[in-house]
Amino acid sequence: MLVSGVGNRLLAALPTADLDLLVPDLQMVTLDREEVVSRMGDHTEHVLFPHSGAVSVMVDMANGQTVASAAIGREGAVGTLSVLGPSPAAVTAIVRAEGTASRIPAARFHAAFSRSPAIRHVVQLHFKAMLIQFQLGGACNALHPVQARMARWLLQLHDSINHDVLPLTQDALSQMLGVRRTTVTLLMRNLRASGAIRSERRGEIEIDSSRLAAVACECRDTMRLELEKIFSMGAAASRVFDLPIQ
């Protein structure tokens, strides 16, 4: 069942008849902070559609280093690549902000995907949105200072949970940015001095989003605009699938 009043944007974009193909197999689950919902190399058992909270997509290197390549909230899903065929997960997905999600066995989602052009369409929307994040994120990691990148990630999490108090530790930020903990500590000190971070305590970071936006690179705004553009075009196309069959 879906949570009343809270919705995943991909599921919400589906016509009723197509959503009904998924509903019998959807299970509401809780996303716990720091929970690993998908691990690189493991077989994908489920597809997750977050209704709230935030998940970071992590790339794990052979030497143990990690870096975040994308963030997924209520606009996306985890595990949709399973529709392309059974294969080990290429990335690790970790819950950064707790929330809820609708979960469906990957095999059942693949069966509905095969039957429904509308489901295939929303998966395509998700793939486009993720590709934008991967492309811009790769360029951002290569070209922008780490402080600007950290501000971007903090704002992306803020956008997902719509709250100024972010459930993040310095260790989590270190993993996401692919830098040492000491570097994060220095950056946090700089951002507190500027007022972009108001406080940090017990694994929570309170931000001033307007001041933090002045520090962040342009990638956050570009990603937001591109995401809304994708969903706007997708909504127009989705109406075609909702037309009655003559």
Side-chain angles (χ1 to χ4, degrees), residues 212-231:
L212 196 60
V215 179
C217 57
E218 70 272 15
C219 298
R220 177 252 190 160
D221 287 337
T222 302
M223 288 180 186
R224 290 175 69 189
L225 289 172
E226 289 296 328
L227 178 66
E228 291 308 318
K229 188 186 303 182
I230 287 169
F231 269 97

Side-chain angles (χ1 to χ4, degrees), residues 85-106:
S87 62
V91 293
T92 296
I94 303 176
V95 178
R96 297 302 179 187
E98 64 184 23
T100 60
S102 287
R103 183 176 72 182
I104 184 171

Side-chain angles (χ1 to χ4, degrees), residues 34 38 44 47 96 112 115 151 168 175 183 208 214 223 243:
E34 299 304 316
S38 176
T44 301
V47 178
R96 297 302 179 187
R115 292 178 57 188
L168 273 181
Q175 295 169 14
T183 301
D208 182 312
M223 288 180 186
L243 293 174

Side-chain angles (χ1 to χ4, degrees), residues 120-138:
R120 293 196 292 274
H121 174 66
V122 297
V123 169
Q124 184 182 51
L125 293 182
H126 175 60
F127 285 173
K128 286 181 178 178
M130 293 300 291
L131 183 59
I132 290 292
Q133 283 205 64
F134 291 148
Q135 289 175 329
L136 284 175

Side-chain angles (χ1 to χ4, degrees), residues 140-223:
C140 182
N141 287 341
L143 299 175
H144 292 154
V146 65
Q147 182 164 285
R149 292 195 287 119
M150 188 168 87
R152 169 175 71 85
W153 277 114
L154 291 172
L155 287 169
Q156 282 188 261
L157 181 56
H158 171 269
D159 293 340
S160 292
I161 67 175
N162 195 29
H163 203 285
D164 286 340
V165 179
L166 310 180
L168 273 181
T169 64
Q170 288 196 17
D171 283 335
L173 273 172
S174 172
Q175 295 169 14
M176 293 170 67
L177 292 166
V179 299
R180 295 181 178 180
R181 165 71 182 274
T182 52
T183 301
V184 172
T185 300
L186 176 61
L187 296 174
M188 293 288 289
R189 187 181 306 149
N190 294 341
L191 291 174
R192 279 198 302 271
S194 70
I197 289 179
R198 294 172 179 161
S199 65
E200 180 194 6
R201 60 189 182 278
R202 296 187 299 277
E204 292 184 340
I205 301 171
E206 184 178 4
I207 66 168
D208 182 312
S209 57
S210 60
R211 291 186 178 183
L212 196 60
V215 179
C217 57
E218 70 272 15
C219 298
R220 177 252 190 160
D221 287 337
T222 302
M223 288 180 186

